[in-house]
Amino acid sequence: MGYTPELNELIKIVEKTRPERIRQIKAGHSFPKLSLEERAEVLEKFHPDYKKTGRCPILAGPNKGDGKFYPEEFVELLHSGSRLKDIEQFEKLIQKPDYETDVLVIGAGGAGCSAALTAMVNGQNVIITTKLRMGDANTVMAEGGIQGATQEVDSPYYHYLDTIGGGHFTNDPKLVKALVNDAPLVIEWLESLGMMFDKEKDGRLKVLKGGGVCRRRMHSSADMTGSEIMRVLRDEIKNNPDKILPIEFAPAVELILDQDGKCMGAILYHLETKVYSVVYAKAVVIATGGFGRLHIQGFPTTNHYGATADGIILAYRAGVRHRFMYSTQYHPTGAAFPEQNIGLLITEKVRTLGAEPVNRNGEEFVFPLEPRDVESACIIRECIERNNGIATPTGRLGVWLDSPMIEILRGEGTVKKALEAKYIQFKRYGIDISKQPMLIYPTLHYQNGGIEIDEWGDTTVPGLFAAGEVAGGIHGENRLMGNSLLDINVFGRRAGKKASEYITAGITLGTPKLDHVKKFQNELKEAGIETDELSPMILPDYSNPKVRERQLTAKRFGTLQ
């Protein structure tokens, strides 16, 4: 338990340089920020997105020929066959629904629950279906906070500039405008639902400063902000059983369109019974989250078990383009030790509270609050090019995140109070992060790209909407801390409202079809793509490859089919 003797010796070096680094902070000095030119240079050389290997073009579907190169793990999934192998059988199945509703929400994380609640408030009956349990999503794992310009010295104007700059000026301006203007409304809405935000002694909302921003606007609930958001959203769903029907352990495996191309529902696959069911809906909201469990370029991930890009696959086969899927966010501070914590998110809040990344010599090498992609690239450079990383017993590399600085700067007990979850997660392995630094390295954290939407979550397929991490364009090529928990609520609410308006305006659905699935399968054949792989993946397979070689009938009779 705890650090090895070798790592403890290296910690002594960090402790030796700490007093001078503390003195510099108290004197108002910090490690210099990189210029825009320096940021571009370090990203080009060291960020995983800029690697030439492990990337390939898309050969079928609406993004075919767009000139972009995407992670091969994602493209392989996109080029996979439908799980509905006997398409004629499923065309018969979808002629009779098992469920009918106004709005079908696919995914029950923060975005899905926000969409469901807003659709309900606007007079619609809702079914919300989810792959695992309600709330088993990246939302509940988000720690540091949610941005929103609620303070007198701030405004959506500054929030907008920070977000556009953090995305390297690639974001969709319309989406960013919606994000920042709705932010104070979302903070107010969440508090009205019962969310317990951190507050000052006088009752004002407590705010911190995240990386890449010019104002303090990070609202939090200790280091369990996403879990607290999910708590109030989930409770509100459960408090309205007459209006919202949750269906758990039932991922959607294909959308259903009518003969005119309008979305009219989905086919669900029930994991426990292995039964398919059909849901008819006047509008559908996809809120299935990201693709962290594809482990792009072999990186560990902070993402929950079901984050396998399902929604992108469903929408793509229906004809909806995606944006920025070539861009992946690697959180700069993922746990590199102990082995049981590999990839675990170390929230950016640790650095906002005063902890500094330092190398094996106890030296600062990067401004602690650079935008996430820049911070990640600098850590990789320190370990790979400069050879100043720390090696773990299993050969992983990392740098120190000097968390004991927080206690010195903000008072004894701050770590345990402000970072309660993180304190417990390391304490169980004999590491006290209030007294010992954490060993960290970038980890795959967020899907920057996603389904193409407008500012109301609408897609190019009538009746189909999207919200949350599954949607692209909001963050461009890099997301700032706190904009994800904001994004899921802003666009979840907007998609729920727009879906309601779409229904209220009058909608007549025709004959259910799966022609879009057949069309995409034909495109794969025309592109010369032959594969036995099926998608959506639903769940990743972590079984031993040698064991899989002996599972001779798994694909025929198991849940992979």
Side-chain angles (χ1 to χ4, degrees), residues 100-105 115-116 118-127 243 262-265 280-285 458 462-465 494-509:
E100 292 187 73
T101 189
D102 296 323
V103 178
L104 169 65
V105 179
T118 307
M120 177 199 74
V121 168
N122 281 271
Q124 309 305 320
N125 291 314
V126 181
I127 288 177
K243 285 289 188 177
K262 297 188 296 292
C263 191
M264 60 173 294
Y280 282 1
K282 298 169 186 174
V284 175
V285 179
D458 206 349
L464 181 63
F465 305 83
R494 281 176 166 251
K497 185 173 188 295
K498 194 67 173 181
S500 300
E501 291 175 355
Y502 170 79
I503 294 169
T504 304
I507 178 68
T508 302
L509 297 173

Side-chain angles (χ1 to χ4, degrees), residues 341-360:
N341 276 356
I342 295 302
L344 177 75
L345 174 65
I346 310 300
T347 170
E348 193 167 311
K349 188 176 181 181
V350 177
R351 285 173 284 138
T352 69
L353 290 169
E356 292 178 334
V358 295
N359 62 25
R360 66 177 292 120

Side-chain angles (χ1 to χ4, degrees), residues 181-249:
N181 281 337
D182 280 12
L185 304 177
V186 162
I187 301 295
E188 181 183 32
W189 178 63
L190 289 171
E191 190 167 31
S192 75
L193 294 179
M195 181 169 172
M196 302 293 287
F197 282 106
D198 293 336
K199 294 187 177 180
E200 304 289 355
K201 290 180 180 178
D202 63 0
R204 291 167 61 87
L205 291 166
K206 183 180 286 187
V207 287
L208 291 171
K209 195 173 183 181
V213 304
C214 67
R215 295 288 189 276
R216 295 178 181 274
R217 70 172 71 93
M218 196 67 56
H219 305 73
S220 59
S221 180
D223 61 342
M224 296 174 279
T225 312
S227 182
E228 176 65 2
I229 288 174
M230 201 66 249
R231 178 186 69 82
V232 297
L233 295 179
R234 185 170 47 216
D235 283 355
E236 196 68 14
I237 295 278
K238 290 181 177 179
N239 287 339
N240 289 278
D242 56 329
K243 285 289 188 177
I244 303 176
L245 171 66
I247 304 177
E248 297 183 316
F249 300 105

Side-chain angles (χ1 to χ4, degrees), residues 382-396:
E382 197 69 13
C383 292
I384 304 301
E385 183 184 74
R386 297 177 176 175
N387 201 29
N388 285 330
I390 299 99
T392 72
T394 60
R396 297 181 186 275

